[in-house]
Amino acid sequence: MSLSEQILSKIKEYQKIIIHRHMNPDPDALGSQLGLKALIKTNFPEKKVFAAGGPVNDLDFLGVMDSVEIEDYQDALVIICDTGNTPRISGAEYQYGAYLIKIDHHPNDDPYGDLLWVDTTSSSTSELIALWARELNLKLTQEAARLLYAGIVGDTGRFLYPATTSRTLQLAADLISTGFDFAKLNQQIDGISVKVARLIGYVYENLICDEYGTGKVILSQAILDEFQLADHETSAIVGVPGRIETVLTWGIFVEQKDGHYRCRLRSKGPRINEVAKRHDGGGHPLASGANAKDLAEVEAIYKELQVLTKEFNYKGE
Ligand SMILES: [Mn+2]
């Protein structure tokens, strides 16, 4: 039995299915979670399917979470989408299910679950769910397609990043052919508030970049207050430095209320996830997250990025 069939047979076996994703969800976390929920509900209408996890913030155009009680986990199948390691799972109750499936495209550093489908060559977890539906010939509604398309668009930067493959585009074409309003969806994903637009201006004005193309921007609490922005709203500016031709790697360091810094690290070539792992984080080779306890650790992370970027300049690897 293929992995796709194994996952399908587990879904058939359980009457209750609870789907989780990672904290601070992005379109791929929600798209894969809610897209899978929509697929199961359409193809197995007799089953109870829940989406569990914390607030979806400004992504509520994709959907909202269900209220799930601890008792619901009894005899339930739990599926975790788009989450590399267990501390990142939103909703600690996931562990009270009867059987656990992991579906993900992050490096499998934390191989949790009874059944795992991890494909790091996939652009997104939403692409894996779309592939799964196609392989099994499941009925795909416009709503399921809209959700999965949102996840693919989100994680590929609208098909811009190198994780985009011909398979990504083929599946995206299949999703669009259901007829949902993809132009409207793209606007919802890509649209920014006036506050965020002003912050983008700040990022371009204040970006520091060395001669090898290592960029950094530090957003202090004072800056967030000045722009009246919450931390989660800063995710919209993560890709901004990368638009500059000479920037090769970069870090966005956002001061949190407790004084530590949330670090978003990005790269166009050098593999930066090992840096993230050394600083309480992890992720993809070209897109990772980390945490720094103070400004000194922010500087340490930046120095490590500089070393990688300099090496890459000379060796191309
Ligand atoms: Mn993802």
Side-chain angles (χ1 to χ4, degrees), residues 22 26-29 32 81-83 104-106 122-126 151 154-155 284:
H22 62 74
D26 54 17
D28 186 35
S32 56
C81 290
D82 199 39
T83 312
D104 191 28
H105 70 129
H106 296 89
S122 183
S123 73
S124 53
T125 303
S126 297
D155 265 23
H284 303 285

